[in-house]
Amino acid sequence: MVLLDIDYVTDNDKPVIRLFGKEMKDDGDNHIIALDRTFKPYMYVIPHDMDAALKQLEEMGLKNLEKLRKKDLGIDLELIKITLKHPQEVPKLRENILALTMVKDIREHDIPFYRRYLIDNGLFPMSEIQMTGKTVNFSKCVYSGAENINIIDLEESPLPLESDFPELKILSFDIEVRNPDGMPNPDKDEIIMIGLAGNFGVEKVISTKGDHLEYVEKVSNEKEIIQKFVDMVKKYHPDLIVGYNSDNFDFTYIKQRAKLLGVKLDLGIDGSELKFIRRGFTNSATMKGLIHVDLYLVMRRYMNLDRYTLERVYLELFGEEKFDLPGDRLWEYWDQDGDALDELFRYSLDDVVATYKIAEKILPLNMELTRIVGQPLFDLARMATGQQVEWFLMRKAYEYGEVAPNKPSNNQYSERRGKKAVGGYVKEPETGLHENIVQFDFRSLYPSIIISKNVSPDTLIAESVQGVIECIGENNDENPWKNSECHSAPEYGYKFVKEPKGFIPSVIGQVLTERSRLKKKMNETVDPMEKKILNVQQEALKRLANTMYGVYAYSRFRWYSIECAESITSWGRDYIKKTMKKAEKFGFHSIYADTDGFYATYKPDEIKDNK
DNA sequence: CAGAAACGGGG
DNA sequence: GTGTACGTTTCTG
């Protein structure tokens, strides 16, 4: 089946991973919930002294202790893996464990259980997985409410399979409210319309008016609008539901009105209700087995605009204006009936169709990122790009046998926030009209620097941060690096060993190699659909590689290193300036430069060697 | 002037 | 829930 989403529930005090997926059949989709009871939560302990630490942990009553070898930023390390019975024991016990005198540090104690499961089993959402297990009798199952769902009790964890991009059923929705007094107030302002649009032939507006329009589904009151919405979502059974600012507005509003009117929002595949989970200071709307993507959050990351209204984003993506009405006067259109009401219906349909079109355009990239990063689409669509890179690296760390660094403490975080790495070299443009212009730029300058200079926290020579040290050359016995070859960053003098290859340079290397392979394949492919998919895949890898340099200076990054960030930009400035100097020697005159490229003019008869 | 609070999107 | 945005602008004391 295609793995769409994942969570865990507790059954008899034991965690049960639930994998939500579907199998595509000719006569429709076959929905599946697979239960895995075999996976257990764990965390690592770095001991001061192995045997003494084991003794202290045993005295705490901990039983499943295991000695383990891992690497910590490239250095061999012996640590203790503590396996627990329930994920919630980890936050409960970790403070006490850290307080033990023989415990130096704790690691990987803050990884959500389902994410750990995906990483450890090598599973990727939006990809095929192979399962062995038996379908259990529904009546015996503790998860009530679901119908037409196959529940499989797994005998062992599933295996990942190579697979193509899955075809998903996508439904977009949008609500309209009658708000005569400023912003909508869910205590008094009723929902008057809910628009729906999808890739399975649906374009509808549910309302209490407008049955002369063919796309309107008329019901008799607001309660029935919401009930109809719930019924339709269940009937269509989309894999994905998308909205615009739907975390904050549409779902929040529907939830409050539904509560007031007594409608059950049991949109979960297992019969559970729409629920809001806290993410920082804001909430996200979530349903079991139905992936909700709020496109507003996605678009804010994807494009750089002054505003991110639906109208603005739509114009930017499609180059055409969306039919728009003034938000504070929608209630007048509703009350007036006649032509004005028809305009409001048109506006409602236009909004939901625009939302759908944005989804169609932008989801393929996010689906690819989901398949690369390996975390659920719901999470990925709400992650900062730095977080996406981090979870990608968490998986790579597991594969490489590296134990992940901890997240920064509050103190470390505020300390990091005060620091800012100097950026790329910028030469302000010379004003005027120029002719005979040549342009030069480096292809993926920063990723190339990371790889060629081996810039990584695990290759950085700590002594070079404190002061000047020599690698090969200064042969006094005190110098531990006297036999090492290293790269030395301009301006700062931070040094990076040439061997072995650092963790992050290796990963970026892999990403770029994979991207080249896909690009080559794309250019050889004739089939336009295949070409398009390969293009999205290589685009996703490019985005990932390009974000990787920036994350060294991202304050919440586990592999944060201001020294790495500064070294990368200093090499970048060095390269661009040297290249410009060289060009000037040949008679070019540079007129503008920014970070990884520059523009120059030339007088055709003065160029010394124009080969 | 520094630190707190508000803001974004939505109707 | 192995959890707790975010960066920027505006207000307030």
Side-chain angles (χ1 to χ4, degrees):
Chain A
M1 71 169 188
V2 184
L3 176 60
L4 297 173
D5 207 359
I6 179 168
D7 72 357
Y8 86 90
V9 289
T10 304
D11 182 20
N12 281 322
D13 299 327
K14 288 179 188 137
V16 184
I17 286 283
R18 296 196 300 184
L19 303 162
F20 299 94
K22 71 166 181 181
E23 276 167 1
M24 278 168 278
K25 298 253 172 82
D26 291 337
D27 56 341
D29 293 338
N30 188 11
H31 295 271
I32 295 162
I33 302 176
L35 309 174
D36 191 342
R37 303 167 189 275
T38 63
F39 194 63
K40 295 281 174 270
Y42 64 88
M43 62 182 279
Y44 297 129
V45 158
I46 302 177
H48 283 295
D49 177 276
M50 178 55 77
D51 292 335
L54 282 170
K55 195 168 165 249
Q56 285 189 333
L57 290 166
E58 276 163 15
E59 280 165 8
M60 265 183 81
L62 296 167
K63 291 206 173 66
N64 294 306
L65 307 173
E66 189 186 334
K67 279 197 231 176
L68 201 73
R69 297 206 84 90
K70 284 242 179 195
K71 277 182 278 183
D72 186 17
L73 295 180
I75 296 161
D76 273 316
L77 188 70
E78 198 174 30
L79 36 74
I80 304 163
K81 178 179 177 181
I82 305 177
T83 303
L84 297 159
K85 290 194 179 70
H86 196 276
Q88 290 179 354
E89 285 186 304
V90 178
K92 259 186 213 155
L93 291 170
R94 65 184 166 203
E95 300 308 319
N96 294 340
I97 292 172
L98 185 59
L100 295 175
T101 52
M102 285 300 135
V103 170
K104 193 171 164 188
D105 203 0
I106 52 173
R107 293 290 182 87
E108 306 200 8
H109 52 81
D110 52 7
I111 298 168
F113 191 54
Y114 65 92
R115 294 193 181 184
R116 177 91 272 172
Y117 181 87
L118 291 170
I119 293 171
D120 291 19
N121 289 298
L123 303 179
F124 294 80
M126 298 301 157
S127 300
E128 284 287 327
I129 60 173
Q130 189 191 326
M131 304 177 297
T132 42
K134 54 179 184 294
T135 304
V136 293
N137 186 342
F138 178 72
S139 62
K140 278 191 192 164
C141 185
V142 291
Y143 318 108
S144 60
E147 281 168 49
N148 308 320
I149 313 288
N150 297 293
I151 295 171
I152 299 177
D153 220 331
L154 297 175
E155 279 151 19
E156 55 193 83
S157 295
L159 295 170
L161 292 175
E162 287 277 324
S163 63
D164 290 334
F165 211 77
E167 268 176 55
L168 297 190
K169 271 179 94 172
I170 304 170
L171 179 70
S172 78
F173 82 110
D174 177 51
I175 70 167
E176 311 301 332
V177 174
R178 185 184 175 281
N179 53 312
D181 312 307
M183 284 309 289
N185 174 358
D187 292 332
K188 63 175 189 63
D189 298 336
E190 61 180 320
I191 293 171
I192 51 177
M193 297 176 183
I194 298 182
L196 299 173
N199 56 354
F200 43 91
V202 171
E203 270 186 29
K204 270 191 199 319
V205 177
I206 311 165
S207 181
T208 52
K209 291 184 180 179
D211 57 350
H212 59 289
L213 298 164
E214 31 108 30
Y215 59 84
V216 173
E217 185 99 11
K218 193 182 174 237
V219 293
S220 50
N221 56 45
E222 187 195 6
K223 185 175 176 178
E224 285 180 19
I225 295 180
I226 301 174
Q227 189 59 58
K228 190 94 200 166
F229 168 68
V230 173
D231 292 346
M232 281 186 167
V233 174
K234 284 188 190 169
K235 189 180 100 189
Y236 299 140
H237 205 142
D239 304 303
L240 226 71
I241 188 161
V242 303
Y244 203 83
N245 201 23
S246 40
D247 266 347
N248 243 315
F249 184 71
D250 301 74
F251 268 133
T252 311
Y253 207 94
I254 290 179
K255 176 103 177 176
Q256 301 217 45
R257 293 303 292 175
K259 193 181 171 192
L260 219 75
L261 299 163
V263 184
K264 207 172 171 200
L265 296 175
D266 49 349
L267 292 163
I269 197 176
D270 59 356
S272 61
E273 291 196 39
L274 168 74
K275 175 178 141 187
F276 288 84
I277 54 166
R278 273 196 82 95
R279 298 181 74 92
F281 305 128
T282 185
N283 291 327
S284 293
T286 167
M287 291 137 283
K288 300 295 178 194
L290 174 55
I291 306 164
H292 170 218
V293 172
D294 184 341
L295 293 169
Y296 163 63
L297 305 169
V298 176
M299 298 321 289
R300 266 190 10 170
R301 276 203 325 268
Y302 182 74
M303 315 199 274
N304 195 10
L305 302 174
D306 47 346
R307 306 198 63 188
Y308 294 89
T309 60
L310 183 58
E311 286 71 29
R312 184 74 183 80
V313 166
Y314 187 82
L315 176 66
E316 196 66 25
L317 282 184
F318 300 104
E320 54 181 273
E321 299 273 345
K322 201 182 71 57
F323 181 70
D324 201 16
L325 292 177
D328 53 352
R329 289 181 49 214
L330 292 185
W331 66 278
E332 292 173 22
Y333 288 78
W334 176 254
D335 287 0
Q336 272 171 37
D337 293 329
D339 288 350
L341 180 65
D342 285 5
E343 275 191 67
L344 182 59
F345 273 110
R346 195 185 140 203
Y347 164 79
S348 177
L349 189 69
D350 221 48
D351 259 16
V352 77
V353 170
T355 305
Y356 172 72
K357 280 174 75 180
I358 294 171
E360 197 179 38
K361 182 121 180 166
I362 221 66
L363 285 175
L365 179 72
N366 284 275
M367 301 258 295
E368 267 322 321
L369 281 168
T370 300
R371 283 160 59 104
I372 297 164
V373 171
Q375 293 302 331
L377 177 59
F378 177 88
D379 294 4
L380 185 117
R382 291 167 176 80
M383 277 180 194
T385 48
Q387 287 289 319
Q388 293 176 356
V389 167
E390 181 161 294
W391 283 101
F392 178 66
L393 291 173
M394 291 295 281
R395 188 177 276 267
K396 291 291 172 189
Y398 183 82
E399 287 171 16
Y400 281 50
E402 276 272 342
V403 57
N406 285 329
K407 283 195 280 195
S409 66
N410 285 341
N411 282 343
Q412 284 172 312
Y413 177 65
S414 39
E415 196 181 306
R416 289 175 181 188
R417 275 188 54 173
K419 293 178 186 165
K420 219 170 163 147
V422 186
Y425 171 71
V426 178
K427 180 190 163 79
E428 291 302 323
E430 270 179 25
T431 51
L433 187 63
H434 304 280
E435 55 180 10
N436 294 326
I437 291 178
V438 288
Q439 186 218 351
F440 172 90
D441 46 22
F442 288 105
R443 193 154 44 115
S444 24
L445 176 65
Y446 289 167
S448 308
I449 291 172
I450 295 175
I451 294 168
S452 62
K453 303 297 180 186
N454 210 21
V455 182
S456 195
D458 48 324
T459 55
L460 173 67
I461 297 175
E463 290 89 334
S464 73
V465 179
Q466 314 302 325
V468 179
I469 62 129
E470 291 295 325
C471 292
I472 278 191
E474 194 183 77
N475 281 323
N476 73 63
D477 289 341
E478 309 267 300
N479 182 1
W481 303 100
K482 63 179 180 183
N483 294 320
S484 308
E485 285 193 72
C486 58
H487 301 286
S488 184
E491 299 171 53
Y492 302 96
Y494 301 144
K495 289 183 167 64
F496 301 89
V497 293
K498 288 189 179 174
E499 295 288 336
K501 211 165 186 16
F503 171 57
I504 291 176
S506 308
V507 175
I508 297 186
Q510 269 187 9
V511 170
L512 292 184
T513 307
E514 176 64 6
R515 183 183 173 223
S516 310
R517 192 184 69 82
L518 291 172
K519 272 187 94 168
K520 188 162 170 268
K521 201 171 158 195
M522 179 177 87
N523 292 330
E524 288 164 358
T525 304
V526 236
D527 178 35
M529 269 310 283
E530 177 99 358
K531 230 183 168 78
K532 211 171 159 183
I533 290 168
L534 286 164
N535 190 40
V536 174
Q537 291 178 340
Q538 68 89 13
E539 192 68 29
L541 289 168
K542 181 185 166 185
R543 289 179 75 88
L544 208 64
N546 283 336
T547 329
M548 279 189 176
Y549 105 85
V551 288
Y552 274 137
Y554 168 55
S555 314
R556 288 196 192 278
F557 192 41
R558 289 177 191 253
W559 286 270
Y560 170 92
S561 165
I562 196 71
E563 293 84 4
C564 288
E566 284 173 331
S567 302
I568 294 162
T569 56
S570 76
W571 261 306
R573 290 189 295 275
D574 196 49
Y575 278 128
I576 191 80
K577 283 191 214 162
K578 276 182 180 157
T579 311
M580 285 165 73
K581 222 170 232 166
K582 212 165 196 175
E584 275 157 18
K585 265 191 193 156
F586 281 99
F588 290 97
H589 171 71
S590 57
I591 49 170
Y592 169 62
D594 189 357
T595 313
D596 57 357
F598 68 91
Y599 291 87
T601 56
Y602 65 96
K603 293 182 179 140
D605 47 324
E606 279 182 20
I607 294 297
K608 286 173 191 156
D609 182 4
N610 52 16
K611 261 179 253 173

